[in-house]
Amino acid sequence: MSGHLADLSIQEAAARLRDGSLSCLDLTRGHLERIAERDRAYRAFVYVDTDGALAEAARADDALRRGNDLGPLHGIPIAVKDLVDTAQMPTAYGSDVYAGHRPTEDADVVLRLKAAGAVLLGKLETYEFAMVGPVFDRSFPPAANPWNVNCTTGGSSSGSAAAVAGGLVRTTIGSDTGGSVRSPASYCGAVGLKPSFASISTRGVFPLSPSLDHVGVISASVAEAAITHDAIADAAYANARPAAASRLGQSLSGLRIGYARDWFAHDAETLPAVLEAVDAAASVLSLLGARIEEVALPEAADFEAVGAVIIHAEAFEGHRQQLKASGERYSRKVFQNIVSGLCLTPDDLIRAREAALRLRATLDRRVFSQFDAILTATTLTPAIPFVDFVGEAARWTPMRTIAFNVTGHPALSVPCGFSGGLPLGLQLVGRAGDEAALCQIGHAYELASDFAASKPPRP
Amino acid sequence: MADSKITPMPEKVRARARACGIEVAIEREDAIVVGAQYLADAARRLDTIAANNDDLAEPKRS
């Protein structure tokens, strides 16, 4: 067991909270202490609610003493991306446009966390409106990658990944419209779970592209991601499917995994180390009993074209009035990126949504009829230095994530190696509603490799 | 509405922005035009997706 309270896994902390050897208050104080000690280097938090967190922790202790146990997240500190409305904390959506904004209501996901007894520590840095980053012309800086603070975290759930990788908190809430949970998880050596479309309510999460927006989780391990997911999934969804954590620890024997190797191996931007790491992971999964076969997917560029049209058409419509009223307060790259969507027509959006349905049906018919999961890369390189983002144009980082926002299938990023001291991530994709299989496979892989347990140097 | 099948030119971007009431500084136009061109290309690609999907290879054992 680790020495510092902030390093206890959710399961370790939960056991100690229930056997009386630890209080929620002390656990929360441990996390606040760790944030104060390290976050000057990471800039993961944009707001820390010390008083609110301590009050919630005291209430959680009191409830446990009275026998009112709210489940696995009871008394567990957690932090939330600043794209998510919180009535008790400022919520700026990563933008100077909303500086000082305080929503009147909590987002549904925050209400779910509170009902589960979690202790909210604060709000985590996000790319502006979850659109593009990092940018350097806001009134606050982007989060830094704990493995190398001169590198980006990826985004848009940048603070969520930095906070987990930096040991500030074990589990966080993010959002994912084109890879915004999975790419920062990959770059920072954390676990990122984007669940099936509409499995977690997005009410109260600032919309980027409602057809593709997902609430997701970034955590220190697959088990902690699964536990967090199960606490925040909509009741109707959760009641109809096995819990994400329900198959943790089960054998992979008999599972069939399609390895979408060609889907990223021949991309000119793929770093050889990424291919080697995912190849090695395929071998590990085979040794664990899964049957691995290569599988062909529709071209990545097809998914990317569909995703780009949907995101930009919906984002432009969503921001149109605000761009008119306060466009000068957007950061330059975010403004330019959103405004470029003005060239799209309503017909383009209709055709893109139809194509998305076709791609989803193709995966269901041709891939998930034969395989329990797909294995591929998350990002095609490790994290990129901040200096590479200083130019005028937005730079897109090469990844293989938006496909599963387009199709709505659940996807999980798990650490699978290092290159130049920076983490790499593999991606597992499952049938719609089958987060349990993804977490079963990811957890088994994680136990058989040591990558998720590796820690960055102390700042 | 702009026609995404025609290459967006700075004039078109400017006119569409003006029609939406959005002020675009001259120094930002080039980046917006580059983004608009990328999106126009993406919209054109939508037409080919149905054909591409019919050509998916069968899985092969590794």
Side-chain angles (χ1 to χ4, degrees):
Chain A
M1 196 174 287
S2 309
H4 194 285
L5 292 176
D7 293 324
L8 291 175
S9 70
I10 291 177
Q11 305 93 305
E12 289 169 335
R16 290 189 54 187
L17 293 175
R18 284 158 183 80
D19 71 17
S21 63
L22 177 65
S23 69
C24 303
L25 208 45
D26 282 344
L27 182 63
T28 299
R29 286 193 186 111
H31 281 76
L32 292 169
E33 177 188 297
R34 177 62 69 80
I35 293 165
E37 182 188 305
R38 296 188 181 179
D39 200 36
R40 189 184 300 268
Y42 304 148
R43 308 184 297 266
F45 279 83
V46 291
Y47 184 81
V48 178
D49 186 14
T50 302
D51 293 342
L54 293 173
E56 280 182 28
R59 280 195 292 275
D61 278 327
D62 187 50
L64 273 185
R65 271 193 296 272
R66 287 185 283 104
N68 185 19
D69 188 334
L70 298 174
L73 288 189
H74 190 128
I76 301 298
I78 192 165
V80 177
K81 182 177 183 177
D82 196 33
L83 202 70
V84 178
D85 282 347
T86 45
Q88 81 219 46
M89 297 181 233
T91 305
Y93 315 120
S95 178
D96 288 344
V97 176
Y98 281 90
H101 172 62
R102 194 175 281 261
T104 53
E105 288 180 46
D106 285 327
D108 281 349
V109 65
V110 172
L111 294 173
R112 296 285 293 174
L113 288 170
K114 287 181 172 177
V119 173
L120 269 64
L121 295 173
K123 304 299 287 291
L124 296 162
E125 200 268 321
T126 171
Y127 285 180
E128 185 173 8
F129 299 121
M131 189 64 186
V132 67
V135 297
F136 309 99
D137 55 346
R138 292 182 302 183
S139 58
F140 53 96
N145 192 314
W147 290 90
N148 179 341
V149 293
N150 296 315
C151 288
T152 175
T153 55
S156 63
S157 304
S158 37
S160 302
V164 169
L168 311 183
V169 62
R170 298 291 299 190
T171 194
T172 62
I173 302 302
S175 67
D176 190 318
T177 302
S180 292
V181 155
R182 290 160 288 157
S183 70
S186 175
Y187 284 152
C188 292
V191 170
L193 174 60
K194 180 208 77 73
S196 306
F197 184 68
S199 63
I200 300 171
S201 169
T202 56
R203 194 196 67 82
V205 180
F206 197 94
L208 172 58
S209 174
S211 300
L212 305 181
D213 290 343
H214 296 64
V215 171
V217 175
I218 297 180
S219 307
S221 68
V222 173
E224 289 163 288
I227 289 167
T228 307
H229 168 271
D230 290 341
I232 60 176
D234 281 3
Y237 180 86
N239 291 339
R241 293 162 185 84
S246 62
R247 284 158 57 180
L248 297 176
Q250 289 186 15
S251 164
L252 303 191
S253 184
L255 289 181
R256 294 184 66 177
I257 299 175
Y259 182 16
R261 188 178 192 275
D262 287 350
W263 204 51
F264 72 98
H266 306 301
D267 191 310
E269 296 196 88
T270 299
L271 195 76
V274 172
L275 180 58
E276 288 164 21
V278 186
D279 277 349
S283 298
V284 169
L285 291 168
S286 178
L287 289 171
L288 290 169
R291 188 167 160 184
I292 312 290
E293 296 173 32
E294 282 195 45
V295 65
L297 303 183
E299 283 187 53
D302 284 351
F303 293 102
E304 284 164 3
V306 172
V309 170
I310 294 176
I311 287 181
H312 284 85
E314 293 186 350
F316 179 70
E317 280 311 310
H319 282 268
R320 192 168 164 161
Q321 292 307 319
Q322 194 166 267
L323 286 165
K324 201 168 147 180
S326 46
E328 78 288 351
R329 297 178 68 195
Y330 282 63
S331 67
R332 192 180 71 250
K333 284 181 184 171
V334 173
F335 176 89
Q336 290 165 180
N337 206 268
I338 296 176
V339 171
S340 68
L342 58 68
C343 73
L344 295 167
T345 66
D347 179 61
D348 290 332
L349 181 56
I350 289 167
R351 290 188 304 123
R353 287 176 175 156
E354 286 170 355
L357 292 174
R358 192 172 295 126
L359 288 166
R360 178 189 172 103
T362 299
L363 288 195
D364 286 337
R365 186 179 71 250
R366 302 291 296 272
V367 179
F368 288 117
S369 61
Q370 302 176 64
F371 295 102
D372 298 289
I374 298 168
L375 167 68
T376 192
T378 306
T379 52
L380 306 188
T381 69
I384 295 167
F386 280 122
V387 70
D388 289 5
F389 292 88
V390 169
E392 180 65 24
R395 174 177 172 169
W396 298 104
T397 49
M399 58 185 79
R400 283 292 182 270
T401 51
I402 199 169
F404 311 109
N405 298 83
V406 166
T407 67
H409 292 97
L412 177 73
S413 182
V414 182
C416 69
F418 290 90
S419 176
L422 291 166
L424 306 172
L426 63 78
Q427 185 174 207
L428 294 161
V429 186
R431 295 187 182 99
D434 199 5
E435 284 80 7
L438 290 189
C439 292
Q440 176 189 5
I441 298 165
H443 179 67
Y445 171 75
E446 189 179 67
L447 291 182
S449 62
D450 262 347
F451 302 121
S454 303
K455 303 288 177 212
R458 290 183 63 164
Chain B
M1 279 288 175
D3 183 352
S4 65
K5 291 183 170 55
I6 297 170
T7 303
M9 300 298 286
E11 295 75 18
K12 291 182 188 294
V13 167
R14 202 176 299 138
R16 174 86 172 108
R18 197 179 301 120
C20 295
I22 297 166
E23 189 80 28
V24 176
I26 289 170
E27 64 271 21
R28 291 180 167 186
E29 280 183 1
D30 285 352
I32 293 169
V33 168
V34 168
Q37 181 62 61
Y38 170 81
L39 292 171
D41 291 344
R44 271 193 292 275
R45 190 179 177 101
L46 299 175
D47 298 330
T48 67
I49 287 177
N52 287 349
N53 288 332
D54 290 340
D55 294 336
L56 258 190
E58 290 299 325
K60 60 180 178 183
R61 185 129 344 139
S62 61

